Each structure stands twice: as structure tokens, then as C-alpha cells.
Amino acid sequence: MIALAICVLLCVPASPAADFDGAEYRVKAAFIYNFAKFTRWSEDKSRLCVAVLDAPQFAETLSRTLEGKAVEGIPIDVKPVADPELLASCDLAFIPAARSSSYAAIVELLRDKPVFAVGDDPEFAEAGGLAAFYLADERVRFVLNRGTHRAGGLDISSQLLRLGRMVDGEKRP
Amino acid sequence: MLFAGVLLACAGGGEVWAESGADADLTQLSLEELMQVEVRSAARREQPISEAAAAIDVITREDLARSGITTVAEALRMVPGMQVAQIAGGRWAISARGFPQRSANKMLVLQDGRSLYTPLFGGVYWESQDLSLDDIERIEVIRGPGGTLWGANAVAGVVNIITRSAAQTQGGQVDLVAGDEQVRTHFRYGAPVGSRGHLRVFAQGTAADTQAMPGGGQAFDGWDQWAAGFRADWKTGSGNEITLSGSASDGTFDGLANRASLAPPFSEQMPFSQTLATQHLLGTWTREGQGGRQDRWQFFVDRIDRVAFEIDEDRFTADVEFQQMRSLGERHSLVWGGGARMTTDSLAESAVIRIPDLKRDDYLYSAFVQDEIQLSEDTRLIAGAKWEQNDYTGLEFQPSLRLTHRVGPGSLWASASRAIQLPSRLVSETEIDVAAFPDPGGSGAVNVISVIGNPELKAQNLHAYEAGLRRCSGREFCFDLAAFYYEFRDVTSTQTLAPEVIPGIPVRVTLPFLLVNGREIDAHGVELSANWSPVENVRVRGWYAYLDLGTPPVNPLLAPRDAFHAEHHAHLRIQVDPSPRWSIDLLGYYVGRRPYVPQPVQSFTRVDANVRYRVQDSMTVSIAVQNALDDRHLEYTGESFIVSSEIERSALARVIWAF
């Protein structure tokens, strides 16, 4: 029977498709809106943009959430991208858990860039990404990387720093 | 079958989401509020209790924590319509809507989806269910048939004990209870495992003092038990959730038993010591998919080893179940699944029970499907059926049809369902000597009444028709009314066989009563419960239940034990919070007379009280008085072997310290 228990543990598929338009991701979209709200970029912006890597369905959910919304009068665009190189062209970025094998490369691409990068899994922040979502008690929470949030020239409000859990870690390639 | 998350919502943070709905603008919420939104309940299709199409009630963690109660069995007195009677120290008779006995075999009791009843007699060893109430998230109780989702033996109702996740019990906690009737220690420690997992381990010990004999004197029914266990949970960002839990316990439960004997005075009252050891391991894997789809796998293995004066039971059970929830189009929500269970036992006979086959293996296979159809914005129809193949009665079919309609701030519901109760190992195979008396003719022979098990017994079945109404006025007052009409068919009864004379000194004349499916019972009843909160820090909750199970046939030798119920039950609970640090609870429980028990039990009222003070965030202390109104009282009689005790007044002090 112990064997059966071990099977249950090992038989979890690596990364099944996430339900990008379900309740969980609508809440995550609202979190991203708040991340934009509580962050200041060093140069003046007339528009903000969120790059969503390889998750067109979440890009849609996020667009619906941000439709007609603005942060201090600045509207936010959503840009679905397939190439991690394009993440740095936006002010915020969402990296799905399905891209966990390329976290290190993505962290390297965004190093010292003014991009608020959010992973969908805490490992992204542990790998040196700025922020990441996780679930606790069926609720969405987030972690921030202690080292990364100081680099990149972003001014992140103390309210965000207070509510997020801090992690260390930067597995440089 | 798998647990009641299908039907129920949990209170608390989930409401934010429920109220905001799918199209709500979540950007209007503050970050703190967003962090409280429960994101899984919508996908699991949990519903507010106010819209469920069944008689449902939930005991919350807060209700448990502030009540001063220390056992699940006692906590069930809070549930509307629940019939709880303590027979003796550590032993309870618990059921809903009739049929309360120690072997209350119509109630399905689950812990995190794992069945706790033994197929030996179809009931629960409540004495060994000594889970720390602080590790329980909530207890969900459904009165009435739950056979479509949960399977056989969910005739009177379903009790599902849901434990807290490891993530909710992080850090250390010491819980000490000391009183004149019980001493408890519970230690718990929780820690993260990697970045996505949590673990808790616990160890506990309980010692309970003896209750009193009717008329005074010790009842020799003290008990003690230790238990240890763990629960681990892992969540991945992509919707997989794995839980593994296990426990082991070992207890000694003393008591007095009546045993038929061939020598005067023909009934021996003898002290006995029952030992009961249990182990279990339970795993579940839940996976959220696209569009609200959820797959859930569950397996458990369970072993109990009980040694007692009347029968020994060593049982191993292995069970695997699968369930899938998914939407079909806009209007249909489908739940389907299946399971297989193997149980193997090894029994030992005694002077009063004879068993032809001491070992038996049983296999149970089941499949079910339920569709919830949104007929209009306010009306839902839930149609389901379950098929179950078992080794006692073959294939059994349990369908149900439920309708719920939302009306303003409340709802109306109605249902028709069929539920079955399988014969237990005891009633299908064994011969039990329940009483002996000298031959009234003066021949010197001794007559022994024996109940003879019958392998040809069919399943007892129930056609149940239920309806209910729930309504709230404002936030202050809510009530819930449920009514039912039951047609029990093929109910077990006895048929007298020819006496059998066994030569010897003295001559034994066995008067055999064969168990047959010979009775029909038409029953009806109502349950009314209400909550009232006149001001914010005062809550009053109460319920009243009426039950009419008809008049049982009169049998001077063997009274039908399914008629040992009381017709009136009531409960009142007052919760007052004089300040955020203080809470005061008063619980009253009334049970009317049990008219058909051979040795009548008078009606009684018991009152429990608890005062709790939160010294600091990490420490609470409380003082409780249980059964405050009288020195001692009798709650139940009529068990075949166990001598009932009178339950004494008791007091206890409790300290919970978290670190």
C-alpha cells in the first residue's frame, strides 16, 4: 500500500494546462493591476504594457480585467508574446509555470531591466525573478525576491513589500 | 461518496467571491481583500448551504473551539435533528431521524472522505474517533439519504469530518485539558516542506474516568487512548493538489457487560476491557482542469484490531475511488465516478456469539453519476443514480431527484430518493445469545434467546420524500425547516423458529429468532432550526425535531431495537462575546422520553457551559462545566450487552498555547 502512496506522489503530470480564465486567474489578473498601481517606473510613461508569455488565454483574461482601467491616468495594454526576448519591451511581464525550464534564461534577459516580472510559480522568484504567485489556503498570495526588487530601477511601494512574502535566491547560470 | 465539497460551501473568505460573482470587477478590491478571495470554491462548484437541495448543517471550527466540547460525538448534539446519547463512558448511540443504537448502522460517517464504519455491524466505534477538535476544519452533516453520492448505509444521513490542511496548522501547539472526568494532552507541530508543501504531525493521549451506575457506584467504564499521526499537503501552481495523511491509535475501553448464562441468576454482569487499535493511510490527488473540470483520486488503507468480550475483530480495508466534476454546456454540471473496496476480516467467537466462518473477504464496486441542471436562473434540478455491486446482496441501485428554487433571500427544495442499507456481517452470519431465563414450566431447563443471522437477508430499503424551506430576514434572523416522509421496506425483524433442546446440565432450550426482512415502517418528521443575532456579539441558535416512526410490534421476548428512539429532541445554544478576548457559550440539549425501550429512559435536559479567554494571540484558556443541571443522569438503555451508565456532571480547564 505504501507503493500505492508513492505512485500517487509520482504520477502527477509535470505541468497540466492551467485554467487561465477561471476564478484563480481572474484574481491573479487583479493582482497584476495592483502591482502596476503600487510601482513607479523611473521614466515617465504615457502607457504601461504587460507582456504575457505563451499564455494567450490569460492575456485575454487580463485584457478583460484591465479594460478601461488606468493607473493614475495611464492606461495599461496587454501584449501576448511567444518569445522571451520581447518581455523586456514591456513594463510588466507574466511568465507561466509551463516555462519553468527557461526561468534562468528569462531572469538573465530581464536582469537590471525596469520590468516587474511575475512568475506563476514560486520557483520563478527563487530563480531570481522579481515576483511570483502561489496558493495558500485556496487563496492567491505572492512572493518577492529580496535581491531582485532593489535592482532594475523600479520603485515598489512599501505596501506591496509588506504583503508579499520575501524570498532569497538567485541561481545564476 | 467522495467528500461533501460537492455540495457545500465553507464559510468565511469564500463569501467575498460568491457575492462578487464571475463578472465582478476584482480590481475594485484592495490587495488585502484580494488575498482573502477563495479561488477554488467556484471551480469546485461548492454552493452556499442556503441553496442546497437537502437538509444540511455545518459545525464550524469556531463553534467547536468555543463550545468546551472535547469529542466529535458530543459536538454532533449541535446539529439539527441529530440524536446523540451517551450510553456509557466512551460509548455513544448516534443517528438522525431514528434508529439510534450503538451499532447505529444507517449513518455513514467519513473523515476526509474515508469511511469510518465497520462492515462487522455497520456502525462506528465512536470511542476510537478521538480526533482533536482543533484539527477539524468543519463537520458537515446531511440528514436523510445520501446514497446517490455516498453509497450504501447513507440512509439516515452522512457525517463528514473535514480536517484542517497542514498549511492551516503551521507552527507548534500544545493543548492541555484537565478535569474530573478526563485528562487530555495534544501536541501538534506544522512546518513547510519545500516551497509548495506543508506537513503537520501530532501526538495525543486521553484518559477518561469512570461514570456512575444507576443508583450510585462506579460503572467501571473509564478509558484511555493514545494516537499519533500526520497530514501533508502539496499544491502546485498548475492546479494539482495532493494530500497524504495517516494515523495510529491504541486504546483500552473498560465497561460492564450483561451476559446470558445458564446458571442463576442467568444474567452475569461482568466487567470487561476492550482494546481497540487502528491505523490508516489516506491519499487524495485533486487536479483542476480547463473550464472548471476537476478530477479527484482517493485511496485509503485502514486496519482495526478490536478485542472485546463478545467478539474480536481484526479487519483490513483497502479502497480506491475516482470522481470527476465538469460542466457540459451552459446548464449542466456533471459529477461521475466510481470506486472499489476490499475488506478482509478475521473474527474470534466468544461464549455468547457463534460465527460459522471466522474469516471473510468482501469486494464492493460502485459507479455513480449526477447531473445538476440549471433550469432557470433560480431553479436547479439534480438527478443522480448510483450502482453498487456487493457480496451480500448483489447489485443495488440508488437513484435520487432533487429540485431547488431560490426565492428572495432564501430557497425552497424538495427531493425523492431511494437508499439502501446492506446487511452487516453480524446480522447475516452470526448467532448471538442475548438473554437467558429459567423455563417458566419449572422443568429445570434454561431457555436461551438466540438471534440467528440470515445469509439470505436482502438490503433494507428506504424511499424518502423530503422538502424544505430556508429564509433569512436581514442578517439577524434565519430559519431552516425540513420535513420528511419515509417508507422503509424490508426492515430487519425476527421470525420465531422451533425451539432446540440441547441436553446437558442444565438442559439448554434455545429459542431461535431468525432475522428476516419482515417489517415495513412509515415514518415522518420535521426539523426546525433558527439562528438569531439580536446584536453583533450575541448569537442564539436552536433547533427542534419531531419524529414519528409508528408503533413497533410488541414482542415480549425481543423488542425491536430500531424503535428505541425519542420522539422529541431540541437544542439551544447561546454564544456571547463580551469583548474580543472573551467568549461565553451555553449549550442545552433536550431528549424526550424513549417510549418503546424495554427499560424506559426518562426525558432529560443537559446543559454545558464554557468560558474562554484569549490571554494573548498565542494562548487561550477556558473553563467548562458539562452536564451542569444534575449530578448524573441516564441517556440510553437497550444495548444487548453493554450496561448503560449514568453520565456525571464534570468540569474541566483547558489551555491552548501556540508557538
Side-chain angles (χ1 to χ4, degrees), chain A residues 1-41:
Chain A
M1 282 311 133
I2 299 292
L4 185 51
I6 291 164
C7 170
V8 167
L9 294 180
L10 297 182
C11 300
V12 182
S15 54
D19 177 20
F20 280 130
D21 58 358
E24 180 181 334
Y25 285 89
R26 288 199 294 271
V27 170
K28 286 178 176 172
F31 266 94
I32 289 177
Y33 167 77
N34 274 283
F35 293 157
K37 205 163 108 183
F38 289 107
T39 304
R40 279 172 201 283
W41 279 261

Side-chain angles (χ1 to χ4, degrees), chain A residues 110-116 128 130 145-156 170 172:
Chain A
L110 296 175
R111 179 177 304 283
D112 299 331
K113 300 262 170 32
V115 178
F116 195 112
L130 196 154
N145 186 301
R146 205 186 303 274
T148 315
H149 84 80
R150 296 207 181 91
L154 297 179
D155 178 9
I156 299 173
E170 190 167 3
R172 287 175 193 242

Side-chain angles (χ1 to χ4, degrees), chain A:
Chain A
M1 282 311 133
I2 299 292
L4 185 51
I6 291 164
C7 170
V8 167
L9 294 180
L10 297 182
C11 300
V12 182
S15 54
D19 177 20
F20 280 130
D21 58 358
E24 180 181 334
Y25 285 89
R26 288 199 294 271
V27 170
K28 286 178 176 172
F31 266 94
I32 289 177
Y33 167 77
N34 274 283
F35 293 157
K37 205 163 108 183
F38 289 107
T39 304
R40 279 172 201 283
W41 279 261
S42 48
E43 50 187 275
D44 285 341
K45 306 268 179 185
S46 59
R47 297 188 84 83
L48 285 170
C49 128
V50 190
V52 176
L53 180 65
D54 260 0
Q57 212 182 354
F58 181 62
E60 231 168 79
T61 303
L62 192 57
S63 304
R64 272 201 309 275
T65 304
L66 299 177
E67 203 175 344
K69 296 283 179 317
V71 173
E72 291 179 6
I74 305 169
I76 312 173
D77 300 319
V78 177
K79 190 162 133 190
V81 299
D83 181 355
E85 300 265 353
L86 295 173
L87 290 172
S89 65
C90 271
D91 311 293
L92 297 103
F94 174 82
I95 296 94
R99 296 302 291 257
S100 58
S101 55
S102 34
Y103 283 164
I106 292 168
V107 167
E108 200 50 43
L109 280 169
L110 296 175
R111 179 177 304 283
D112 299 331
K113 300 262 170 32
V115 178
F116 195 112
V118 193
D120 199 13
D121 133 38
E123 269 180 30
F124 177 70
E126 283 154 23
L130 196 154
F133 291 122
Y134 67 103
L135 291 182
D137 294 353
E138 326 269 296
R139 293 160 174 86
V140 178
R141 301 286 154 84
F142 62 96
V143 293
L144 293 167
N145 186 301
R146 205 186 303 274
T148 315
H149 84 80
R150 296 207 181 91
L154 297 179
D155 178 9
I156 299 173
S157 143
S158 61
Q159 197 179 350
L160 264 192
L161 301 178
R162 186 169 53 79
L163 292 173
R165 184 161 64 86
M166 285 292 169
V167 293
D168 295 303
E170 190 167 3
K171 297 173 199 155
R172 287 175 193 242

Side-chain angles (χ1 to χ4, degrees), chain B residues 135-259:
Chain B
D135 286 345
I136 296 175
E137 175 63 26
R138 62 187 190 277
I139 303 173
E140 302 173 339
V141 181
I142 299 177
R143 306 185 302 280
T148 301
L149 277 184
W150 283 276
N153 293 25
V155 172
V158 183
V159 173
N160 194 10
I161 303 161
I162 294 157
T163 62
R164 298 173 77 192
S165 72
Q168 288 169 312
T169 50
Q170 293 289 287
Q173 180 175 294
V174 178
D175 183 350
L176 301 172
V177 174
D180 57 347
E181 288 291 336
Q182 55 179 319
V183 175
R184 291 169 178 270
T185 55
H186 177 80
F187 174 80
R188 174 174 91 196
Y189 192 77
V193 178
S195 57
R196 295 162 175 187
H198 293 89
L199 173 72
R200 84 157 164 265
V201 291
F202 74 90
Q204 68 179 55
T206 305
D209 193 23
T210 173
Q211 301 291 335
M213 286 302 288
Q218 287 217 342
F220 302 104
D221 57 356
W223 58 279
D224 56 75
Q225 179 169 255
W226 66 262
F230 74 96
R231 172 170 167 158
D233 300 283
W234 289 269
K235 284 180 185 178
T236 68
S238 45
N240 282 293
E241 208 174 311
I242 291 168
T243 295
L244 193 64
S245 67
S247 75
S249 75
D250 197 352
T252 304
F253 305 85
D254 296 338
L256 282 175
N258 275 319
R259 196 171 79 168

Side-chain angles (χ1 to χ4, degrees), chain B residues 329-398:
Chain B
E330 297 268 295
R331 290 173 180 277
H332 295 263
S333 303
L334 200 68
V335 189
W336 64 274
R341 179 177 301 173
M342 186 276 296
T343 182
T344 174
D345 66 23
S346 170
L347 308 180
E349 300 183 314
S350 68
V352 290
I353 296 190
R354 290 172 295 285
I355 310 161
D357 297 309
L358 292 175
K359 289 181 191 296
R360 178 175 171 138
D361 297 341
D362 276 292
Y363 295 87
L364 184 77
Y365 303 96
S366 59
F368 72 95
V369 59
Q370 175 177 292
D371 186 16
E372 182 176 318
I373 308 154
Q374 195 81 41
L375 295 177
S376 73
E377 195 178 328
D378 293 323
T379 311
R380 288 177 295 123
L381 179 73
I382 302 151
K386 176 158 188 158
W387 294 264
E388 207 161 44
Q389 171 70 37
N390 73 87
D391 289 348
Y392 287 95
T393 65
L395 187 67
E396 297 288 351
F397 175 58
Q398 303 183 81

Side-chain angles (χ1 to χ4, degrees), chain B residues 630-642:
Chain B
D630 42 20
D631 288 344
R632 55 176 205 268
H633 68 247
L634 193 64
E635 298 200 350
Y636 189 85
T637 62
E639 281 297 308
S640 300
F641 299 118
I642 296 192

Side-chain angles (χ1 to χ4, degrees), chain B residues 436-626:
Chain B
F437 56 94
D439 176 24
S443 68
V446 177
N447 292 342
V448 177
I449 297 173
S450 286
V451 175
I452 313 294
N454 182 354
E456 303 297 313
L457 277 178
K458 292 184 283 185
Q460 307 182 60
N461 75 75
L462 165 67
H463 287 110
Y465 307 93
E466 301 170 84
L469 168 68
R470 297 184 184 91
R471 208 168 168 84
C472 289
S473 11
R475 285 202 171 266
E476 304 82 45
F477 181 78
C478 292
F479 76 89
D480 185 330
L481 179 69
F484 61 93
Y485 178 73
Y486 280 4
E487 291 171 355
F488 287 103
R489 296 295 177 263
D490 295 324
V491 177
T492 310
S493 62
T494 50
Q495 179 187 321
T496 317
L497 300 182
E500 192 186 335
V501 178
I502 302 166
I505 303 170
V507 175
R508 172 185 160 130
V509 181
T510 303
L511 307 176
F513 286 78
L514 179 70
L515 291 168
V516 292
N517 295 101
R519 279 182 69 200
E520 297 190 346
I521 299 174
D522 290 338
H524 63 270
V526 291
E527 293 135 3
L528 175 66
S529 66
N531 298 340
W532 180 49
S533 182
V535 287
E536 188 148 342
N537 57 352
V538 177
R539 282 173 302 283
V540 182
R541 296 166 180 206
W543 58 262
Y544 164 76
Y546 171 73
L547 171 69
D548 184 343
L549 273 172
T551 309
V554 178
N555 186 330
L557 290 180
L558 199 61
R561 290 172 57 213
D562 52 31
F564 292 176
H565 63 283
E567 291 175 335
H568 304 277
H569 280 80
H571 170 75
L572 185 70
R573 177 154 105 246
I574 302 170
Q575 302 178 324
V576 183
D577 301 327
S579 82
R581 288 186 179 277
W582 287 89
S583 73
I584 300 171
D585 282 47
L586 267 178
L587 292 85
Y589 187 73
Y590 167 82
V591 181
R593 207 168 62 88
R594 298 175 194 270
Y596 306 113
V597 187
Q599 309 126 282
V601 183
Q602 296 308 311
S603 66
F604 69 89
T605 304
R606 64 175 277 162
V607 170
D608 302 334
N610 189 53
V611 178
R612 183 179 62 161
Y613 175 60
R614 195 184 302 275
V615 184
Q616 43 184 282
D617 282 345
S618 60
M619 184 184 280
T620 56
V621 294
S622 49
I623 290 176
V625 178
Q626 273 148 12

